[in-house]
């Protein structure tokens, strides 16, 4: 990530997360981000790390749906943390030009990879969304995205 920080701290035996540099930069990115990406990144609760029910931190990656068509998009589903969220999150990407998941740690004591922090930046494709998880990094370059809270139960399947 260019501005936000999510790094393992061996002294703490845990992760240090800090979105402050990204939040300072975010107002300058408004005109360059697609509408859906801007709405998600600038949501009031998105980076409210300690208490926000709409904060991405601590959501668990539940699934990746890659339809067969070239411009069909991509969907990531995240389950809620039982200590923080009242609903899960589904992010639908349109006009996807790049998608990758890179595993970087060997944390085998965790049941699921959870979100530490994310960052959405302007990109030639429209926007770039980088999501740092406890054990991996997801990168998507796309035309735009739509983030929808709710509809994802604790199993990662549609609820409601």
């Amino acid at each position: 990530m260019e501005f936000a920080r999510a790094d393992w701290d061996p002294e703490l035996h845990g992760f240090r997360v800090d979105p402050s540099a990204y939040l300072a930069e975010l107002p300058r990115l408004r005109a360059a981000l697609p509408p859906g990406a801007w709405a998600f990144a600038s949501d009031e609760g998105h980076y409210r790390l300690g208490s926000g029910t709409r904060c991405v931190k601590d959501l668990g990656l539940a699934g990746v749906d890659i339809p067969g068509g070239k411009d069909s998009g991509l969907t990531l589903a995240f389950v809620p943390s039982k200590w923080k969220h009242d609903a899960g999150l589904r992010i639908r990407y349109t006009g996807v030009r790049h998608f990758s998941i890179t595993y970087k740690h060997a944390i085998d004591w965790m049941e699921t990879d959870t979100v530490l922090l994310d960052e959405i930046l302007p990109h030639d494709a429209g926007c770039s969304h980088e999501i740092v998880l406890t054990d991996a990094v997801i990168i998507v370059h796309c035309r735009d995205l739509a983030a929808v809270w709710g509809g994802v139960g604790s199993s990662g399947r549609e609820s409601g």
Side-chain angles (χ1 to χ4, degrees):
M1 288 192 288
E2 191 172 329
F3 299 100
R5 295 287 167 245
D7 303 307
W8 178 260
D9 186 328
E11 290 180 21
L12 285 176
H13 299 289
F15 292 95
R16 231 182 250 279
V17 294
D18 182 6
S20 59
Y22 179 66
L23 291 172
E25 186 68 21
L26 192 56
R28 290 185 279 278
L29 302 175
R30 182 176 189 156
L33 286 174
W38 170 255
F40 182 51
S42 64
D43 182 273
E44 179 183 322
H46 191 123
Y47 293 101
R48 192 173 292 157
L49 301 180
S51 61
T53 59
R54 288 187 177 254
C55 176
V56 296
K57 186 172 183 317
D58 300 322
L59 289 167
L61 179 63
V64 177
D65 182 25
I66 306 171
K70 283 191 172 192
D71 198 33
S72 299
L74 163 75
T75 301
L76 299 179
F78 297 90
V79 293
S81 163
K82 63 183 175 184
W83 296 284
K84 184 176 190 178
H85 303 101
D86 50 13
L89 174 68
R90 187 171 307 281
I91 305 173
R92 291 184 174 99
Y93 301 90
T94 56
V96 175
R97 291 207 320 200
H98 171 86
F99 168 68
S100 66
I101 299 178
T102 305
Y103 287 88
K104 59 182 186 165
H105 300 288
I107 300 175
D108 57 0
W109 46 265
M110 296 188 74
E111 190 174 310
T112 187
D113 286 328
T114 60
V115 176
L116 295 172
L117 216 48
D118 74 323
E119 182 176 272
I120 302 171
L121 296 172
H123 186 274
D124 292 345
C127 65
S128 171
H129 190 194
E130 184 171 353
I131 306 168
V132 176
L133 304 167
T134 49
D135 202 26
V137 175
I138 297 172
I139 297 175
V140 180
H141 300 163
C142 62
R143 183 172 46 251
D144 201 0
L145 61 88
V148 178
W149 287 94
V152 180
S154 59
S155 69
R157 292 192 167 89
E158 291 283 337
S159 67

